[in-house]
Amino acid sequence: MIAGYQYEWSPVFGLNNPFLARPIANITADIIYRLKVTDQNGCMDLDSIQILTSGFLLEVDTLRRETCLGQQDAFVRINTAGGVDPLVFTWTTINGSGIVQGQKDQFGLSAGTYQLLVTDASGCSAMITVEIPTAPSCCSEFVYTYIPPDMDLSCSDIIHYEEPIIENHCCTGVNIEVLEYTLDGNCAQNFTVVRLFMITDDCGNEDFVEQRFFVSDTEAPVVSDGGSIQDTIECNGNNINILLANWLSSVSERVLDCGFDSCDSTPVFISNFDQAIFIPSCGLSGSYEIQGFLRDQCGNESQTITARLVIIDTTPPDISACANLDETVDCASGNAQALATQWHQSNISQLLNCAEDACSNNFFLTHNFNFNNFITLCGQTGTLTATYRVLDVCMNSSSLITATLTISDFSAIDPSECGDLNLTVSCEDFDLPNTATAWHQQNLQLLNACAANSCSGSWNITHNFDLNNFAINCGEAGTLGVIYNITDPCSGVTTSLTGILNVINDQLPQFVACGNLNIQLDCTGSQH
């Protein structure tokens, strides 16, 4: 016996001790034993076990002898279970009388020995012998002043014990023996307890009084938290069906944990999970609501339980995989505003493609890009700073991304595109001061015009132009060389160019003032 528990088996027939947890049964016929367990707090639980010794459960339910000798009012009631219907009941007797053949229960019998053979449709059979003792000739009637009534009970009620009260009996030594058994109902908590009071006296009179307790489970399970559950979880990118299945399992466990049924310790959670619809919000976030209830084995249902799952997305996009957006370009690559616009569009494309979010595949940007914020350093060089934020469809924003475009002047001056600084003229048209000065001024104009198209927009030009440097070759022919030193004010790079004025003598001599150089001689004279 386990400490703190009391055990009571019924009926006591065949048991070595009906108050042990595991008594030994010595039976020769099929029987159903009922166990009642009571703890130290008075809480009770019931269970039953059927022991079969044959193919049938065949036993005497109730037997009463004649009230007085010769009355022929004895009767016997038989319990059967098992077998294949229909059952055929065949009664025989050695020394009795009053049998009605074909009936299971017999009434109006005399004392004697009777045998019942039960045969089912498959040919299986079982037999039982019933002894009805001889009634005494003395007073054979019991007078009852109180018989315990049948009672309707809830499965949580306690079955109290009361005995019949017998008075005015002519024979002494009245003894009451109690036999109790249980008839199963349509569910575990619906059953009938039959309490049979078997009464005898010293004269050999016998009688019985039956009391029945109709126990039923009409109590619905109760959910102690009020029947409402709301869970909020962060979206983690997992498959929504897996997430919902895990959540439903969690809801079922929690409802069962906080549910209570005084009659049934194993109710089940029933829900409309298959019919409920996930209502999306943004990305993979949204909400899911189900209704359900606890149902015990007898079909009693608890109040409706509403469970709601809200999946939220408060995690900003991950931009850790995005490259640095700072960039330095050569101003020779194009117009500063065009370069800045191209850089900005590239930044947008990069950020939209490199951002990651487990719950959203779509992103958009906010930025403060404005070319009016370009800070000019020299010519078209300078810097422009813009800030960006990547947002997902749930409006979660990444950290602020700051990017700077630097436009620098890396290119050396290439005056070759400015034009030819050399000039060749005929000495016939040459006027040293005017021609050389005009040529020099033209070179300066070419160089300044070329500078306007560069990154810096202007050049610092120095030169060594000096008419005294004109070198005469012959006559008025000669050369004048000028070195132009061109400095880019942005990069500080200086490039030197040389321009040469070449004056040539391309005229033949003229003999206009000379006389006739021809002479005619006579070959016969002495002058030749």
Side-chain angles (χ1 to χ4, degrees), residues 33 43 46 107 161 170 271 288 325 361 453 473 494:
Y33 286 110
C43 295
L46 299 174
F107 300 90
Y161 181 79
C170 62
S271 76
Y288 188 85
L325 300 180
N361 293 324
N453 296 322
N473 295 331
T494 298

Side-chain angles (χ1 to χ4, degrees), residues 240 244 275-290 308-312:
I240 188 67
L244 292 177
Q275 289 77 39
I277 298 175
F278 180 74
I279 302 174
S281 175
C282 59
L284 295 181
S285 66
S287 61
Y288 188 85
E289 185 172 289
I290 63 172
R308 187 167 186 264
L309 173 66
V310 179
I311 303 173
I312 61 174

Side-chain angles (χ1 to χ4, degrees), residues 325-382:
L325 300 180
D326 292 342
E327 186 175 357
T328 299
V329 298
D330 192 340
C331 63
S333 301
N335 175 271
Q337 185 167 359
L339 291 174
T341 301
Q342 181 181 355
W343 169 73
H344 172 58
Q345 294 299 327
S346 174
N347 289 346
I348 293 176
S349 177
Q350 288 188 62
L351 291 173
L352 292 179
N353 286 305
C354 68
E356 297 178 348
D357 193 309
C359 297
S360 176
N361 293 324
N362 297 316
F363 306 98
F364 60 95
L365 295 177
T366 60
H367 61 82
N368 70 342
F369 173 81
N370 190 333
F371 186 72
N372 292 331
N373 296 327
F374 184 78
I375 300 173
T376 302
L377 299 178
C378 176
Q380 293 193 50
T381 66

